[in-house]
């Protein structure tokens, strides 16, 4: 176990350091909670089970029996709560000899920051790995695909080969508006928020916030803005890896689409090792991020 001793900050043992730097950086707000609704959990894992609708009614001939349909479940998506923990140990001598409070007492903040950044990375991986078939959802396909299997044929929540533009955003929103359930019935699905990497934040601002059509000399309204098709606007998520991928969240009911499943909120503890007299500090929390229904997000990986 790595133990923080007087050797870790030898300059802290004697007055004379003008300023310590490198650990006072500002942090972004916890962005992942702007994307994932929070669902409480009290089990090792939770299961989200698809329930299928009825199909279309059929013409009934005079005197003939009506058609009987079945109500049944579809695939199951299991979201396992994972524990994340980190800590540090300090010798009794280091605490006694350290001449600088901002070194000695800034470590709890560093620990909290590490837990915070870990959560962002875990959440963003749902999107960063969303085009990778090694990370399937309940239907056996990756999150963003053109061939999600359904009872009525393959369906898509991805457009391919398109960088972010007014035209590609319109194409993706059209795909959202054409959404169907597993029995091929049309559903009233609406786009809510555009999510982009920081490399696309200026492009997103121009596309969504221009009064007139973006990047043209046409005297035409900005249809995306005038129709209010993305009522929650856009956000740039600093933890997205792909510089040209973009995503649209939808208005699926809470708990059926994107999910932040919280089993145990972050706990900060302190204790002392009786034999060594080392002071121990730890942080622990338990949670999972995922998506039950792939219709919760529509995406493009970009043209690159």
């Amino acid at each position: 176990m790595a133990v923080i001793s007087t050797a870790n900050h030898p300059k802290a043992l004697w007055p004379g350091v003008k300023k310590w730097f490198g650990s006072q950086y500002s942090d972004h707000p916890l962005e992942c909670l702007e994307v994932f609704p929070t669902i409480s959990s009290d089990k090792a894992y939770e299961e989200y089970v698809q329930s299928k609708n009825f199909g279309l009614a059929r013409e009934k001939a005079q005197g003939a029996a009506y058609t009987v349909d079945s109500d049944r479940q579809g695939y199951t998506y299991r979201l396992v709560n994972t524990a994340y923990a980190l800590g540090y140990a300090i010798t009794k001598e280091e605490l006694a000899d350290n001449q600088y409070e901002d070194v000695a007492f800034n470590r709890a903040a560093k620990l909290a920051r590490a837990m915070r950044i870990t959560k962002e990375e875990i959440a963003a991986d749902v999107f960063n790995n969303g085009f990778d078939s090694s990370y399937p959802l309940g239907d056996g396909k990756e999150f963003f695909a053109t061939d999600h299997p359904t009872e009525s044929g393959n369906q898509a929540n991805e457009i391919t080969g398109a960088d972010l533009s007014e035209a590609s955003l319109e194409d993706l929103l059209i795909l959202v508006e054409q959404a169907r359930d597993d029995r091929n019935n049309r559903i009233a699905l609406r786009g809510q928020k555009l999510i982009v990497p920081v490399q696309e934040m200026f492009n997103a601002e121009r596309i969504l916030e221009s009064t007139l059509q973006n990047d043209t000399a046409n005297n035409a309204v900005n249809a995306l803005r005038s129709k209010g098709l993305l009522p929650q606007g856009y956000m740039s998520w600093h933890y997205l890896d792909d510089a040209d991928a973009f995503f649209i969240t939808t208005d699926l009911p809470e708990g059926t689409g994107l999910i932040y499943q919280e089993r145990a909120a972050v706990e900060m503890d302190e204790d002392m090792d009786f034999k060594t007299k080392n002071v121990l500090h730890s942080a622990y929390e338990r949670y999972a991020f995922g998506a039950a229904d792939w219709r919760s997000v529509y995406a493009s990986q970009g043209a690159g």
Side-chain angles (χ1 to χ4, degrees):
M1 179 177 68
V3 178
I4 300 171
S5 69
T6 54
N8 287 70
H9 288 93
K11 286 292 186 181
L13 304 181
W14 196 259
V17 175
K18 181 69 173 178
K19 186 68 176 177
W20 297 91
F21 68 91
S23 63
Q24 296 89 11
Y25 302 118
S26 298
D27 287 318
H28 301 291
L30 197 57
E31 297 172 333
C32 61
L33 298 189
E34 297 181 41
V35 180
F36 291 82
T38 302
I39 305 297
S40 62
S41 172
D42 59 1
K43 303 179 184 66
Y45 59 85
E46 304 286 355
E47 290 188 334
Y48 300 84
V49 183
Q50 181 190 38
S51 179
K52 299 191 178 186
N53 287 312
F54 293 124
L56 296 178
R58 299 181 184 179
E59 183 177 346
K60 176 187 172 301
Q62 186 175 182
Y66 55 79
T67 302
V68 177
D69 204 347
S70 59
D71 179 19
R72 58 193 180 276
Q73 72 178 47
Y75 64 79
T76 298
Y77 178 65
R78 177 178 292 188
L79 198 53
V80 179
N81 291 313
T82 303
Y84 299 92
L86 188 66
Y88 59 93
I90 314 172
T91 65
K92 186 177 181 68
E93 292 77 14
E94 201 277 347
L95 285 174
D97 295 344
N98 194 318
Q99 301 293 303
Y100 299 89
E101 287 190 359
D102 60 347
V103 174
F105 298 106
N106 193 39
R107 288 168 183 147
K110 291 179 181 178
L111 186 58
R113 181 175 188 267
M115 298 298 287
R116 182 188 188 91
I117 293 174
T118 299
K119 181 172 287 186
E120 288 279 20
E121 295 284 1
I122 298 298
D125 278 348
V126 175
F127 285 64
N128 292 330
N129 297 327
F131 300 96
D132 188 339
S133 60
S134 301
Y135 300 89
L137 296 186
D139 65 351
K141 294 296 298 182
E142 61 270 25
F143 194 174
F144 311 117
T146 59
D147 56 349
H148 284 286
T150 75
E151 191 171 324
S152 55
N154 290 340
Q155 297 186 30
N157 67 336
E158 177 191 7
I159 59 172
T160 59
D163 287 334
L164 180 62
S165 67
E166 184 179 33
S168 64
L169 196 53
E170 289 175 355
D171 287 342
L172 197 56
L173 283 165
I174 290 170
L175 191 61
V176 173
E177 295 280 339
Q178 292 177 325
R180 294 174 181 252
D181 66 15
D182 214 61
R183 298 295 302 275
N184 206 36
N185 300 312
R186 299 179 190 274
I187 58 176
L189 197 64
R190 299 288 182 265
Q192 295 296 295
K193 179 184 293 185
L194 171 64
I195 301 175
V196 298
V198 293
Q199 294 90 335
E200 290 286 4
M201 62 181 177
F202 297 110
N203 195 17
E205 177 76 11
R206 283 188 287 266
I207 292 171
L208 294 183
E209 299 302 324
S210 298
T211 302
L212 299 179
Q213 192 174 20
N214 177 246
D215 282 343
T216 75
N218 298 333
N219 186 24
V221 298
N222 181 341
L224 293 168
R225 181 176 178 179
S226 65
K227 290 181 69 63
L229 293 178
L230 291 168
Q232 296 180 12
Y234 79 93
M235 67 171 285
S236 55
W237 196 358
H238 292 81
Y239 292 85
L240 293 178
D241 291 339
D242 193 327
D244 58 354
F246 62 97
F247 311 86
I248 293 176
T249 61
T250 68
D251 61 349
L252 285 182
E254 188 172 295
T256 67
L258 290 171
I259 298 166
Y260 164 51
Q261 186 172 282
E262 185 179 73
R263 180 67 176 89
V266 63
E267 304 169 2
M268 307 286 283
D269 290 317
E270 180 181 343
D271 203 352
M272 185 181 74
D273 187 313
F274 181 77
K275 289 185 177 180
T276 65
K277 302 302 181 184
N278 292 342
V279 177
L280 310 175
H281 296 260
S282 69
Y284 171 95
E285 60 183 324
R286 194 175 173 199
Y287 56 82
F289 286 92
D293 192 334
W294 53 263
R295 297 170 183 83
S296 55
V297 183
Y298 284 65
S300 171
Q301 196 172 10

